[in-house]
Each structure stands twice: as structure tokens, then as C-alpha cells.
Amino acid sequence: GQNIDQPTEMTATEGAIVQINCTYQTSGFNGLFWYQQHAGEAPTFLSYNVLDGLEEKGRFSSFLSRSKGYSYLLLKELQMKDSASYLCAGIYNFNKFYFGSGTKLNVKP
Amino acid sequence: GAVVSQHPSWVICKSGTSVKIECRSLDFQATTMFWYRQFPKQSLMLMATSNEGSKATYEQGVEKDKFLINHASLTLSTLTVTSAHPEDSSFYICSATDRPNEKLFFGSGTQLSVL
């Protein structure tokens, strides 16, 4: 729902930096979340952006541009354990969470 | 962080039976709970939004008579899959928030297999 789009799959090397993009419908949009999900497990919260700009939290950073309907998740110093699906989720009309299709990240040695 | 408990973790049932999944917020009052469905290698699809003491709001395409949601208290919501069929086999996951516009806390999910 809400046309939340992100790449299906990405591959990166251990120690490198990777950027996962997300575009979304701006009508009714309130804020954007990034979640990490390992296969068969529940998603875990990574970040939340409401205002434009970059939020940094350790090796992970998230960026939001409300006018462009665009966000990205930046992962630095990649580790093998970062191999997972990364879900972009938008909150709309203050009470609905919609998820993108998820980006499967493969980290190789 | 807040804890959401979901039971059962997995269930196998015969076609035509009904299955109830419980979602509890253990250390906070969940004014709103969400139910999602996830097929293998796909993302979470919002099925319904449930607010304590009122009827759930279902997303387009989700049959409310098939997926019964009850949110009778601030700490418990249940999803009942009525007359389950093999096509209902999926990973069902609940989530909750204690304040509007705040992050979701997820249950551990329920893998439903209908034979």
C-alpha cells in the first residue's frame, strides 16, 4: 500500500557501505521507519524519521526528504550479520503503518 | 523496549477449522494493534487495524468475516482465522503501539499451516 518502493535485493562486501533507497507516496504521510528482519523472525526497529535530514545511530543512518517522498538507509562497516531484509515503512494519517516489499541484503566476505 | 507476546508460534490445522491467535502487550497499554500477513520472501501486508473497544478497520481485500479481530482490552487482541483453507497458510504477525505515531513493537509471529 501507499506505493512504498524499494529494491528487491542488493549485495555488498563485508566492511563496505551500502545505501538502500525507499520512495513513498506523500499524501497522508507522517513519518518513515526502517526495520530489519531476519528470515522467520519478527522485524526489529532501526530508525524513525519525521523531519527532513539525516539521523545517525551507530553504523546505521537514515535520511528523509519529505518533499521528494524519498528515504534511504545507510549501513556502514558492513558485517556478515547484517545480511537480512530491510523494510521501509511509512505511517499514514497518524494511525496506519504500511510496509514496502523489503530489500534483501546479502553481505559477502 | 516494550514487549509484545504472540501465541501460538506455529499451528497446523485441518482445512475447515478455525484458529485463534493471541497478541498481548506485556508492559504497556496498546491503544492500537495491527495485524499483518507475510508470505515467504515478501513484505508485511497490513490486514487490519484494531483499536481497543471498537471494531477493527480492515484493509481493502481482507475479508472481515474470515479474519475476526477482537481487541477487548488494552493489552490483548485476537485474530481468528475462520474455516481456514490451505491458501490461508502464512506467517501472521501482530504489532502494537502505545502512542499514536510512534514505532511499532512486534510479536514473534505465528506460522499457520492449513492442510
Side-chain angles (χ1 to χ4, degrees):
Chain A
Q2 310 312 105
N3 296 321
I4 300 176
D5 293 317
Q6 49 183 130
T8 303
E9 191 165 358
M10 300 180 71
T11 300
T13 306
E14 191 176 14
I17 298 173
V18 70
Q19 177 174 312
I20 302 174
N21 296 325
C22 172
T23 58
Y24 59 87
Q25 180 178 304
T26 56
S27 176
F29 174 81
N30 302 123
L32 192 123
F33 295 83
W34 283 95
Y35 284 84
Q36 180 191 62
Q37 186 180 29
H38 287 98
E41 298 181 11
T44 56
F45 171 79
L46 292 178
S47 68
Y48 178 31
N49 293 69
V50 177
L51 302 176
D52 287 353
L54 188 68
E55 295 276 345
E56 297 186 76
K57 191 183 294 184
R59 294 189 299 114
F60 294 3
S61 302
S62 58
F63 172 84
L64 180 69
S65 169
R66 297 179 67 97
S67 61
K68 295 181 180 179
Y70 168 70
S71 173
Y72 66 72
L73 178 70
L74 193 71
L75 294 79
K76 303 176 185 177
E77 302 170 17
L78 280 174
Q79 301 175 8
M80 298 299 292
K81 67 177 183 180
D82 296 330
S83 292
S85 287
Y86 291 86
L87 309 176
C88 170
I91 181 168
Y92 286 81
N93 302 314
F94 299 102
N95 71 346
K96 290 284 183 72
F97 286 79
Y98 293 99
F99 284 81
S101 56
T103 299
K104 184 181 178 185
L105 176 64
N106 304 301
V107 181
K108 295 189 173 181
Chain B
V3 178
V4 175
S5 174
Q6 183 174 342
H7 293 282
S9 297
W10 57 269
V11 60
I12 302 173
C13 68
K14 291 183 178 179
S15 184
T17 60
S18 294
V19 175
K20 180 186 280 189
I21 303 169
E22 289 190 351
C23 181
R24 295 179 183 272
S25 57
L26 297 186
D27 52 1
F28 68 101
Q29 292 186 327
T31 53
T32 305
M33 287 188 172
F34 302 89
W35 286 95
Y36 290 88
R37 183 174 180 175
Q38 186 174 33
F39 291 104
K41 299 183 179 180
Q42 295 186 25
S43 189
L44 302 165
M45 184 191 77
L46 179 63
M47 297 175 67
T49 303
S50 128
N51 295 295
E52 185 266 337
S54 62
K55 290 183 179 180
T57 303
Y58 290 81
E59 294 298 299
Q60 191 173 5
V62 178
E63 298 175 59
K64 62 180 181 181
D65 294 330
K66 181 166 186 62
F67 299 99
L68 301 178
I69 292 172
N70 184 287
H71 193 162
S73 76
L74 284 171
T75 59
L76 174 64
S77 177
T78 60
L79 167 68
T80 301
V81 183
T82 62
S83 186
H85 291 284
E87 58 265 30
D88 299 324
S89 298
S90 185
F91 186 65
Y92 293 86
I93 191 164
C94 71
S95 61
T97 179
D98 59 348
R99 287 171 289 173
N101 221 23
E102 292 291 327
K103 69 181 179 182
L104 293 176
F105 301 99
F106 284 89
S108 54
T110 299
Q111 182 63 52
L112 171 64
S113 297
V114 184
L115 305 178

PDB file of all heavy atoms in Angstrom, chain A residues 21-51:
ATOM      1  N   ASN A  21      17.557   2.471  -0.817  1.00  0.00           N
ATOM      2  CA  ASN A  21      16.622   3.565  -1.087  1.00  0.00           C
ATOM      3  C   ASN A  21      15.173   3.139  -0.923  1.00  0.00           C
ATOM      4  O   ASN A  21      14.834   1.957  -1.089  1.00  0.00           O
ATOM      5  CB  ASN A  21      16.837   4.093  -2.502  1.00  0.00           C
ATOM      6  CG  ASN A  21      18.209   4.706  -2.684  1.00  0.00           C
ATOM      7  OD1 ASN A  21      18.747   5.326  -1.776  1.00  0.00           O
ATOM      8  ND2 ASN A  21      18.792   4.514  -3.857  1.00  0.00           N
ATOM      9  N   CYS A  22      14.343   4.113  -0.640  1.00  0.00           N
ATOM     10  CA  CYS A  22      12.907   3.868  -0.482  1.00  0.00           C
ATOM     11  C   CYS A  22      12.155   5.095  -0.959  1.00  0.00           C
ATOM     12  O   CYS A  22      12.475   6.218  -0.561  1.00  0.00           O
ATOM     13  CB  CYS A  22      12.587   3.579   0.982  1.00  0.00           C
ATOM     14  SG  CYS A  22      10.817   3.479   1.371  1.00  0.00           S
ATOM     15  N   THR A  23      11.180   4.899  -1.824  1.00  0.00           N
ATOM     16  CA  THR A  23      10.315   6.002  -2.231  1.00  0.00           C
ATOM     17  C   THR A  23       8.898   5.676  -1.789  1.00  0.00           C
ATOM     18  O   THR A  23       8.523   4.500  -1.667  1.00  0.00           O
ATOM     19  CB  THR A  23      10.348   6.238  -3.745  1.00  0.00           C
ATOM     20  OG1 THR A  23       9.940   5.037  -4.410  1.00  0.00           O
ATOM     21  CG2 THR A  23      11.738   6.624  -4.200  1.00  0.00           C
ATOM     22  N   TYR A  24       8.124   6.732  -1.551  1.00  0.00           N
ATOM     23  CA  TYR A  24       6.790   6.501  -0.981  1.00  0.00           C
ATOM     24  C   TYR A  24       5.830   7.597  -1.429  1.00  0.00           C
ATOM     25  O   TYR A  24       6.229   8.672  -1.881  1.00  0.00           O
ATOM     26  CB  TYR A  24       6.868   6.451   0.542  1.00  0.00           C
ATOM     27  CG  TYR A  24       7.416   7.721   1.154  1.00  0.00           C
ATOM     28  CD1 TYR A  24       6.574   8.791   1.462  1.00  0.00           C
ATOM     29  CD2 TYR A  24       8.783   7.881   1.405  1.00  0.00           C
ATOM     30  CE1 TYR A  24       7.064   9.968   1.982  1.00  0.00           C
ATOM     31  CE2 TYR A  24       9.270   9.062   1.932  1.00  0.00           C
ATOM     32  CZ  TYR A  24       8.428  10.095   2.220  1.00  0.00           C
ATOM     33  OH  TYR A  24       8.915  11.266   2.728  1.00  0.00           O
ATOM     34  N   GLN A  25       4.570   7.287  -1.300  1.00  0.00           N
ATOM     35  CA  GLN A  25       3.513   8.253  -1.608  1.00  0.00           C
ATOM     36  C   GLN A  25       3.456   9.282  -0.487  1.00  0.00           C
ATOM     37  O   GLN A  25       3.447   8.939   0.691  1.00  0.00           O
ATOM     38  CB  GLN A  25       2.193   7.503  -1.696  1.00  0.00           C
ATOM     39  CG  GLN A  25       0.983   8.345  -2.007  1.00  0.00           C
ATOM     40  CD  GLN A  25      -0.266   7.486  -2.114  1.00  0.00           C
ATOM     41  OE1 GLN A  25      -0.335   6.542  -2.885  1.00  0.00           O
ATOM     42  NE2 GLN A  25      -1.257   7.783  -1.294  1.00  0.00           N
ATOM     43  N   THR A  26       3.412  10.567  -0.839  1.00  0.00           N
ATOM     44  CA  THR A  26       3.499  11.620   0.174  1.00  0.00           C
ATOM     45  C   THR A  26       2.148  12.016   0.770  1.00  0.00           C
ATOM     46  O   THR A  26       2.095  12.561   1.873  1.00  0.00           O
ATOM     47  CB  THR A  26       4.162  12.881  -0.403  1.00  0.00           C
ATOM     48  OG1 THR A  26       3.419  13.291  -1.569  1.00  0.00           O
ATOM     49  CG2 THR A  26       5.602  12.606  -0.819  1.00  0.00           C
ATOM     50  N   SER A  27       1.064  11.715   0.084  1.00  0.00           N
ATOM     51  CA  SER A  27      -0.258  12.100   0.584  1.00  0.00           C
ATOM     52  C   SER A  27      -0.578  11.349   1.877  1.00  0.00           C
ATOM     53  O   SER A  27      -0.567  10.126   1.917  1.00  0.00           O
ATOM     54  CB  SER A  27      -1.323  11.783  -0.473  1.00  0.00           C
ATOM     55  OG  SER A  27      -2.621  12.058   0.024  1.00  0.00           O
ATOM     56  N   GLY A  28      -0.848  12.092   2.946  1.00  0.00           N
ATOM     57  CA  GLY A  28      -1.186  11.484   4.223  1.00  0.00           C
ATOM     58  C   GLY A  28       0.010  11.010   5.034  1.00  0.00           C
ATOM     59  O   GLY A  28      -0.145  10.480   6.136  1.00  0.00           O
ATOM     60  N   PHE A  29       1.190  11.243   4.522  1.00  0.00           N
ATOM     61  CA  PHE A  29       2.416  10.715   5.149  1.00  0.00           C
ATOM     62  C   PHE A  29       2.757  11.476   6.420  1.00  0.00           C
ATOM     63  O   PHE A  29       2.655  12.705   6.469  1.00  0.00           O
ATOM     64  CB  PHE A  29       3.560  10.820   4.138  1.00  0.00           C
ATOM     65  CG  PHE A  29       4.905  10.442   4.686  1.00  0.00           C
ATOM     66  CD1 PHE A  29       5.288   9.118   4.781  1.00  0.00           C
ATOM     67  CD2 PHE A  29       5.798  11.423   5.104  1.00  0.00           C
ATOM     68  CE1 PHE A  29       6.524   8.770   5.285  1.00  0.00           C
ATOM     69  CE2 PHE A  29       7.041  11.098   5.607  1.00  0.00           C
ATOM     70  CZ  PHE A  29       7.416   9.764   5.687  1.00  0.00           C
ATOM     71  N   ASN A  30       3.165  10.744   7.451  1.00  0.00           N
ATOM     72  CA  ASN A  30       3.568  11.363   8.706  1.00  0.00           C
ATOM     73  C   ASN A  30       5.029  11.094   9.058  1.00  0.00           C
ATOM     74  O   ASN A  30       5.709  11.936   9.623  1.00  0.00           O
ATOM     75  CB  ASN A  30       2.698  10.870   9.863  1.00  0.00           C
ATOM     76  CG  ASN A  30       1.234  11.142   9.627  1.00  0.00           C
ATOM     77  OD1 ASN A  30       0.418  10.225   9.634  1.00  0.00           O
ATOM     78  ND2 ASN A  30       0.877  12.388   9.393  1.00  0.00           N
ATOM     79  N   GLY A  31       5.498   9.899   8.806  1.00  0.00           N
ATOM     80  CA  GLY A  31       6.855   9.565   9.193  1.00  0.00           C
ATOM     81  C   GLY A  31       7.280   8.246   8.580  1.00  0.00           C
ATOM     82  O   GLY A  31       6.459   7.494   8.051  1.00  0.00           O
ATOM     83  N   LEU A  32       8.591   7.978   8.642  1.00  0.00           N
ATOM     84  CA  LEU A  32       9.113   6.786   7.998  1.00  0.00           C
ATOM     85  C   LEU A  32       9.994   5.984   8.940  1.00  0.00           C
ATOM     86  O   LEU A  32      10.828   6.542   9.650  1.00  0.00           O
ATOM     87  CB  LEU A  32       9.910   7.174   6.740  1.00  0.00           C
ATOM     88  CG  LEU A  32      10.220   5.963   5.874  1.00  0.00           C
ATOM     89  CD1 LEU A  32       9.680   6.137   4.475  1.00  0.00           C
ATOM     90  CD2 LEU A  32      11.701   5.668   5.870  1.00  0.00           C
ATOM     91  N   PHE A  33       9.799   4.670   8.916  1.00  0.00           N
ATOM     92  CA  PHE A  33      10.555   3.756   9.759  1.00  0.00           C
ATOM     93  C   PHE A  33      11.370   2.807   8.901  1.00  0.00           C
ATOM     94  O   PHE A  33      10.983   2.481   7.788  1.00  0.00           O
ATOM     95  CB  PHE A  33       9.598   2.899  10.593  1.00  0.00           C
ATOM     96  CG  PHE A  33       8.775   3.670  11.591  1.00  0.00           C
ATOM     97  CD1 PHE A  33       7.612   4.316  11.210  1.00  0.00           C
ATOM     98  CD2 PHE A  33       9.159   3.726  12.910  1.00  0.00           C
ATOM     99  CE1 PHE A  33       6.840   5.011  12.137  1.00  0.00           C
ATOM    100  CE2 PHE A  33       8.394   4.410  13.839  1.00  0.00           C
ATOM    101  CZ  PHE A  33       7.238   5.052  13.451  1.00  0.00           C
ATOM    102  N   TRP A  34      12.467   2.385   9.446  1.00  0.00           N
ATOM    103  CA  TRP A  34      13.231   1.292   8.858  1.00  0.00           C
ATOM    104  C   TRP A  34      13.299   0.164   9.883  1.00  0.00           C
ATOM    105  O   TRP A  34      13.580   0.392  11.071  1.00  0.00           O
ATOM    106  CB  TRP A  34      14.647   1.734   8.480  1.00  0.00           C
ATOM    107  CG  TRP A  34      14.704   2.546   7.231  1.00  0.00           C
ATOM    108  CD1 TRP A  34      14.702   3.909   7.114  1.00  0.00           C
ATOM    109  CD2 TRP A  34      14.792   2.038   5.883  1.00  0.00           C
ATOM    110  NE1 TRP A  34      14.768   4.281   5.804  1.00  0.00           N
ATOM    111  CE2 TRP A  34      14.838   3.157   5.017  1.00  0.00           C
ATOM    112  CE3 TRP A  34      14.841   0.760   5.329  1.00  0.00           C
ATOM    113  CZ2 TRP A  34      14.920   3.037   3.630  1.00  0.00           C
ATOM    114  CZ3 TRP A  34      14.926   0.643   3.956  1.00  0.00           C
ATOM    115  CH2 TRP A  34      14.973   1.757   3.117  1.00  0.00           C
ATOM    116  N   TYR A  35      13.041  -1.048   9.389  1.00  0.00           N
ATOM    117  CA  TYR A  35      13.110  -2.235  10.224  1.00  0.00           C
ATOM    118  C   TYR A  35      14.051  -3.244   9.576  1.00  0.00           C
ATOM    119  O   TYR A  35      14.180  -3.297   8.350  1.00  0.00           O
ATOM    120  CB  TYR A  35      11.734  -2.889  10.378  1.00  0.00           C
ATOM    121  CG  TYR A  35      10.807  -2.172  11.327  1.00  0.00           C
ATOM    122  CD1 TYR A  35      10.045  -1.086  10.907  1.00  0.00           C
ATOM    123  CD2 TYR A  35      10.689  -2.596  12.647  1.00  0.00           C
ATOM    124  CE1 TYR A  35       9.190  -0.435  11.786  1.00  0.00           C
ATOM    125  CE2 TYR A  35       9.833  -1.952  13.532  1.00  0.00           C
ATOM    126  CZ  TYR A  35       9.097  -0.869  13.091  1.00  0.00           C
ATOM    127  OH  TYR A  35       8.245  -0.223  13.965  1.00  0.00           O
ATOM    128  N   GLN A  36      14.662  -4.067  10.405  1.00  0.00           N
ATOM    129  CA  GLN A  36      15.481  -5.176   9.924  1.00  0.00           C
ATOM    130  C   GLN A  36      14.740  -6.471  10.240  1.00  0.00           C
ATOM    131  O   GLN A  36      14.178  -6.612  11.333  1.00  0.00           O
ATOM    132  CB  GLN A  36      16.840  -5.178  10.647  1.00  0.00           C
ATOM    133  CG  GLN A  36      17.774  -6.296  10.219  1.00  0.00           C
ATOM    134  CD  GLN A  36      18.979  -6.420  11.155  1.00  0.00           C
ATOM    135  OE1 GLN A  36      18.838  -6.684  12.339  1.00  0.00           O
ATOM    136  NE2 GLN A  36      20.166  -6.216  10.611  1.00  0.00           N
ATOM    137  N   GLN A  37      14.732  -7.382   9.299  1.00  0.00           N
ATOM    138  CA  GLN A  37      14.069  -8.649   9.545  1.00  0.00           C
ATOM    139  C   GLN A  37      14.917  -9.807   9.051  1.00  0.00           C
ATOM    140  O   GLN A  37      15.235  -9.894   7.865  1.00  0.00           O
ATOM    141  CB  GLN A  37      12.693  -8.693   8.874  1.00  0.00           C
ATOM    142  CG  GLN A  37      11.889  -9.948   9.206  1.00  0.00           C
ATOM    143  CD  GLN A  37      10.528  -9.991   8.555  1.00  0.00           C
ATOM    144  OE1 GLN A  37      10.327  -9.429   7.485  1.00  0.00           O
ATOM    145  NE2 GLN A  37       9.583 -10.663   9.192  1.00  0.00           N
ATOM    146  N   HIS A  38      15.284 -10.701   9.960  1.00  0.00           N
ATOM    147  CA  HIS A  38      15.934 -11.935   9.580  1.00  0.00           C
ATOM    148  C   HIS A  38      14.856 -12.959   9.274  1.00  0.00           C
ATOM    149  O   HIS A  38      13.750 -12.906   9.827  1.00  0.00           O
ATOM    150  CB  HIS A  38      16.862 -12.429  10.696  1.00  0.00           C
ATOM    151  CG  HIS A  38      18.107 -11.616  10.830  1.00  0.00           C
ATOM    152  ND1 HIS A  38      18.259 -10.603  11.757  1.00  0.00           N
ATOM    153  CD2 HIS A  38      19.272 -11.658  10.141  1.00  0.00           C
ATOM    154  CE1 HIS A  38      19.438 -10.062  11.635  1.00  0.00           C
ATOM    155  NE2 HIS A  38      20.093 -10.676  10.652  1.00  0.00           N
ATOM    156  N   ALA A  39      15.172 -13.886   8.410  1.00  0.00           N
ATOM    157  CA  ALA A  39      14.199 -14.875   7.940  1.00  0.00           C
ATOM    158  C   ALA A  39      13.538 -15.592   9.104  1.00  0.00           C
ATOM    159  O   ALA A  39      14.215 -16.085  10.003  1.00  0.00           O
ATOM    160  CB  ALA A  39      14.874 -15.874   7.009  1.00  0.00           C
ATOM    161  N   GLY A  40      12.206 -15.626   9.073  1.00  0.00           N
ATOM    162  CA  GLY A  40      11.465 -16.350  10.094  1.00  0.00           C
ATOM    163  C   GLY A  40      11.335 -15.633  11.419  1.00  0.00           C
ATOM    164  O   GLY A  40      10.808 -16.204  12.380  1.00  0.00           O
ATOM    165  N   GLU A  41      11.812 -14.408  11.492  1.00  0.00           N
ATOM    166  CA  GLU A  41      11.742 -13.662  12.746  1.00  0.00           C
ATOM    167  C   GLU A  41      10.915 -12.399  12.581  1.00  0.00           C
ATOM    168  O   GLU A  41      10.627 -11.965  11.476  1.00  0.00           O
ATOM    169  CB  GLU A  41      13.146 -13.299  13.225  1.00  0.00           C
ATOM    170  CG  GLU A  41      14.031 -14.501  13.518  1.00  0.00           C
ATOM    171  CD  GLU A  41      15.407 -14.091  14.006  1.00  0.00           C
ATOM    172  OE1 GLU A  41      15.622 -12.911  14.321  1.00  0.00           O
ATOM    173  OE2 GLU A  41      16.283 -14.973  14.079  1.00  0.00           O
ATOM    174  N   ALA A  42      10.547 -11.818  13.696  1.00  0.00           N
ATOM    175  CA  ALA A  42       9.823 -10.561  13.662  1.00  0.00           C
ATOM    176  C   ALA A  42      10.767  -9.415  13.293  1.00  0.00           C
ATOM    177  O   ALA A  42      11.960  -9.479  13.553  1.00  0.00           O
ATOM    178  CB  ALA A  42       9.189 -10.289  15.023  1.00  0.00           C
ATOM    179  N   PRO A  43      10.247  -8.383  12.681  1.00  0.00           N
ATOM    180  CA  PRO A  43      11.089  -7.218  12.373  1.00  0.00           C
ATOM    181  C   PRO A  43      11.570  -6.527  13.643  1.00  0.00           C
ATOM    182  O   PRO A  43      10.869  -6.524  14.658  1.00  0.00           O
ATOM    183  CB  PRO A  43      10.136  -6.297  11.604  1.00  0.00           C
ATOM    184  CG  PRO A  43       9.038  -7.169  11.128  1.00  0.00           C
ATOM    185  CD  PRO A  43       8.892  -8.230  12.170  1.00  0.00           C
ATOM    186  N   THR A  44      12.742  -5.939  13.578  1.00  0.00           N
ATOM    187  CA  THR A  44      13.259  -5.149  14.696  1.00  0.00           C
ATOM    188  C   THR A  44      13.472  -3.720  14.232  1.00  0.00           C
ATOM    189  O   THR A  44      13.907  -3.466  13.104  1.00  0.00           O
ATOM    190  CB  THR A  44      14.575  -5.727  15.240  1.00  0.00           C
ATOM    191  OG1 THR A  44      15.514  -5.822  14.169  1.00  0.00           O
ATOM    192  CG2 THR A  44      14.371  -7.094  15.840  1.00  0.00           C
ATOM    193  N   PHE A  45      13.169  -2.794  15.105  1.00  0.00           N
ATOM    194  CA  PHE A  45      13.225  -1.371  14.788  1.00  0.00           C
ATOM    195  C   PHE A  45      14.663  -0.897  14.593  1.00  0.00           C
ATOM    196  O   PHE A  45      15.556  -1.225  15.367  1.00  0.00           O
ATOM    197  CB  PHE A  45      12.565  -0.604  15.932  1.00  0.00           C
ATOM    198  CG  PHE A  45      12.722   0.874  15.865  1.00  0.00           C
ATOM    199  CD1 PHE A  45      11.930   1.635  15.033  1.00  0.00           C
ATOM    200  CD2 PHE A  45      13.681   1.516  16.641  1.00  0.00           C
ATOM    201  CE1 PHE A  45      12.075   3.008  14.983  1.00  0.00           C
ATOM    202  CE2 PHE A  45      13.829   2.893  16.597  1.00  0.00           C
ATOM    203  CZ  PHE A  45      13.012   3.645  15.765  1.00  0.00           C
ATOM    204  N   LEU A  46      14.863  -0.101  13.548  1.00  0.00           N
ATOM    205  CA  LEU A  46      16.173   0.504  13.309  1.00  0.00           C
ATOM    206  C   LEU A  46      16.141   2.019  13.469  1.00  0.00           C
ATOM    207  O   LEU A  46      16.993   2.593  14.147  1.00  0.00           O
ATOM    208  CB  LEU A  46      16.673   0.170  11.899  1.00  0.00           C
ATOM    209  CG  LEU A  46      17.035  -1.277  11.601  1.00  0.00           C
ATOM    210  CD1 LEU A  46      17.462  -1.417  10.147  1.00  0.00           C
ATOM    211  CD2 LEU A  46      18.144  -1.761  12.529  1.00  0.00           C
ATOM    212  N   SER A  47      15.175   2.671  12.800  1.00  0.00           N
ATOM    213  CA  SER A  47      15.185   4.130  12.823  1.00  0.00           C
ATOM    214  C   SER A  47      13.817   4.691  12.509  1.00  0.00           C
ATOM    215  O   SER A  47      12.949   4.012  11.968  1.00  0.00           O
ATOM    216  CB  SER A  47      16.195   4.669  11.812  1.00  0.00           C
ATOM    217  OG  SER A  47      15.751   4.384  10.504  1.00  0.00           O
ATOM    218  N   TYR A  48      13.647   5.963  12.856  1.00  0.00           N
ATOM    219  CA  TYR A  48      12.394   6.673  12.619  1.00  0.00           C
ATOM    220  C   TYR A  48      12.730   8.102  12.216  1.00  0.00           C
ATOM    221  O   TYR A  48      13.424   8.801  12.945  1.00  0.00           O
ATOM    222  CB  TYR A  48      11.553   6.673  13.894  1.00  0.00           C
ATOM    223  CG  TYR A  48      10.240   7.414  13.829  1.00  0.00           C
ATOM    224  CD1 TYR A  48       9.516   7.512  12.648  1.00  0.00           C
ATOM    225  CD2 TYR A  48       9.710   8.004  14.976  1.00  0.00           C
ATOM    226  CE1 TYR A  48       8.298   8.177  12.612  1.00  0.00           C
ATOM    227  CE2 TYR A  48       8.501   8.666  14.956  1.00  0.00           C
ATOM    228  CZ  TYR A  48       7.788   8.747  13.770  1.00  0.00           C
ATOM    229  OH  TYR A  48       6.589   9.407  13.741  1.00  0.00           O
ATOM    230  N   ASN A  49      12.249   8.515  11.056  1.00  0.00           N
ATOM    231  CA  ASN A  49      12.446   9.890  10.570  1.00  0.00           C
ATOM    232  C   ASN A  49      11.104  10.577  10.399  1.00  0.00           C
ATOM    233  O   ASN A  49      10.214  10.032   9.753  1.00  0.00           O
ATOM    234  CB  ASN A  49      13.178   9.891   9.220  1.00  0.00           C
ATOM    235  CG  ASN A  49      14.594   9.405   9.306  1.00  0.00           C
ATOM    236  OD1 ASN A  49      14.846   8.228   9.543  1.00  0.00           O
ATOM    237  ND2 ASN A  49      15.539  10.307   9.095  1.00  0.00           N
ATOM    238  N   VAL A  50      10.992  11.738  10.970  1.00  0.00           N
ATOM    239  CA  VAL A  50       9.805  12.570  10.790  1.00  0.00           C
ATOM    240  C   VAL A  50      10.164  13.835  10.014  1.00  0.00           C
ATOM    241  O   VAL A  50       9.462  14.236   9.092  1.00  0.00           O
ATOM    242  CB  VAL A  50       9.177  12.956  12.140  1.00  0.00           C
ATOM    243  CG1 VAL A  50       7.991  13.886  11.920  1.00  0.00           C
ATOM    244  CG2 VAL A  50       8.740  11.723  12.893  1.00  0.00           C
ATOM    245  N   LEU A  51      11.281  14.443  10.390  1.00  0.00           N
ATOM    246  CA  LEU A  51      11.735  15.672   9.734  1.00  0.00           C
ATOM    247  C   LEU A  51      12.761  15.349   8.667  1.00  0.00           C
ATOM    248  O   LEU A  51      13.403  14.294   8.694  1.00  0.00           O
ATOM    249  CB  LEU A  51      12.340  16.610  10.774  1.00  0.00           C
ATOM    250  CG  LEU A  51      11.414  17.000  11.932  1.00  0.00           C
ATOM    251  CD1 LEU A  51      12.179  17.855  12.937  1.00  0.00           C
ATOM    252  CD2 LEU A  51      10.189  17.727  11.421  1.00  0.00           C
TER     253      LEU A  51
END
